[in-house]
Amino acid sequence: MNLRLVVRQLGTVSLLIAGAMLFSLPWALGETGAPRTNGLVGLGVSIAVCVAAGLAMRHWGRGIQVKLYRKESMAIVGLSWILATILGALPFLFSGTERETGVPMNVADALFESQSGFSTTGATVLTNLEDPEMVPRSILFWRSTTHFLGGLGIMVLFVAMLGQGSAGKALMRAEMPGPSSDSPITRMQHTAWLLCVVYVVLNMVLTAILWLEGLSVFDALCHAFGTMATGGFSTYNASLGHFETVEGVSGVLVEMTVLVFMVLAGTNFMLLYFALRGKFRPLLCDVEWRTYIGVIVLVTAAVICFAFWHRDFHVVKSTFIDQPSAENLDTEIVSAEPHETLPEDEFFPVLGRAIRYGLFQVVSIMTTTGYGTHDFNAWNSFGRGVLFLLMFVGGCAGSTGGGLKVIRHILFLKILGLEVEQSFRPSIVRPLRLGGKALENQDLRRNVVVYFSLILVIFVFSWITIVTFEPDTTWQGRDIGDKLIDSATGVAATLNNIGPGLGTVGATENYAKFSSFTKLLFTLLMMLGRLEIFVILVLFLPSFWRTQ
């Protein structure tokens, strides 16, 4: 392991993060009083630390011209995300950002919020985003900027800007989510640039549309970052539901716009590149994308049917309000038994609400964005259960979506089918096929099974750890029996980069109640999920750091 080479590259990453923080400074100048001072101090000191650390690391690694091998590439990617998490947490700490009224964020809070942004999870410990005395606007913008940086990937941006020659391939492969085909080494920087161009263009288009729909430039940018990165950070306590209460803004129009771009964000960006060039055939013929759209349609239809049966959407108004509290949710339920026939004049308004809220939440969870417009924690058991399962699906490979990825589920089902057939036809060996073509990568079958196994092991171990060590006082005022399901969904939501779960981490709640130990565990899970486990796990192996 060439540590000086690794440290030199980490220094460059530190300088890039410092440069990204500069874009948050203008929003501090637009504030007055304590928020302006806190924002400027927090960002200014953080930038100085990033620059100092970056220059020191580059100085220590100066003169190194050794080739970057696989081990060094994995170390750079894994350590870069750890470094980014630490540096990204500094603005929250130095600005005195408050988790709750009068309670500044501690180290665990800041690391959690930073990694939630970079990993595009969207989980938060902040309880009031709308009070600038607690969270300055400049810090809110930095919070959303971490989504922008983490959505496509720190290393993808790194390779696009700096190239790295043949090393770029190893760096991008270590970070890009989901199994994908190899690109020629000589075109790796070109591929990174294409991904960046598609990503930036979609962010710009969405920002412009949201601005035209009545959002301020600040809100449009932050929500565009959160959408295209499939992150979900909002600038309001009520998430996107806030815009239903804003005069001159159509909440439905904003939701539908974000819905369309969430679907795009969960699509393989190389397929989007071809589509932007007018070549739609690769997109329409892609097995993974067709399955991705099919799952969204089928699950939404099932959610709507069961919601009608249980009358989940029979409400006069069904949006979040200013304070993210389940007790304050406006849900004026129409009294009726599940099997009663709806009056004709009531059916279509309810159907409209069911399609609107059901489709949005399914897409939000499926793409791992996590935006909320309806309290799905109050849905029937089937609706909540299917959303929990969707947390483990995710978007397409090569997208900004998290989760296990649709392609892995397709391959896993095919592998199971082959194994079942081989149990009664042991002499027949069939190749793994996708889209009618045999896959050349012979290791893919093993990799998919290993990845599913690791996810299961990490999920179970983390769940048991939280159930065992998280104090029961976290569920104060709730049924302590909810601890099992709440802990499970909290692990699933962070490991798969979703954000909201069920119960105490539901759509109208946050992660502020958990102990520092659990928040740090969630932070690790978010990083494992974003980098798909191996890049982080190898850092804990002594043999990985040996010279030979």
Side-chain angles (χ1 to χ4, degrees), residues 498-515:
I498 308 293
L502 298 175
T504 194
V505 294
T508 60
E509 301 290 342
N510 54 53
Y511 290 75
K513 305 181 189 69
F514 286 96
S515 64

Side-chain angles (χ1 to χ4, degrees), residues 120-123 231 364-365 368-370 390-392 403 492-494 496-500:
T120 71
T121 302
S364 182
I365 297 298
T368 72
T369 307
L390 280 181
M391 292 181 182
F392 290 92
T494 51
N496 295 300
N497 307 132
I498 308 293

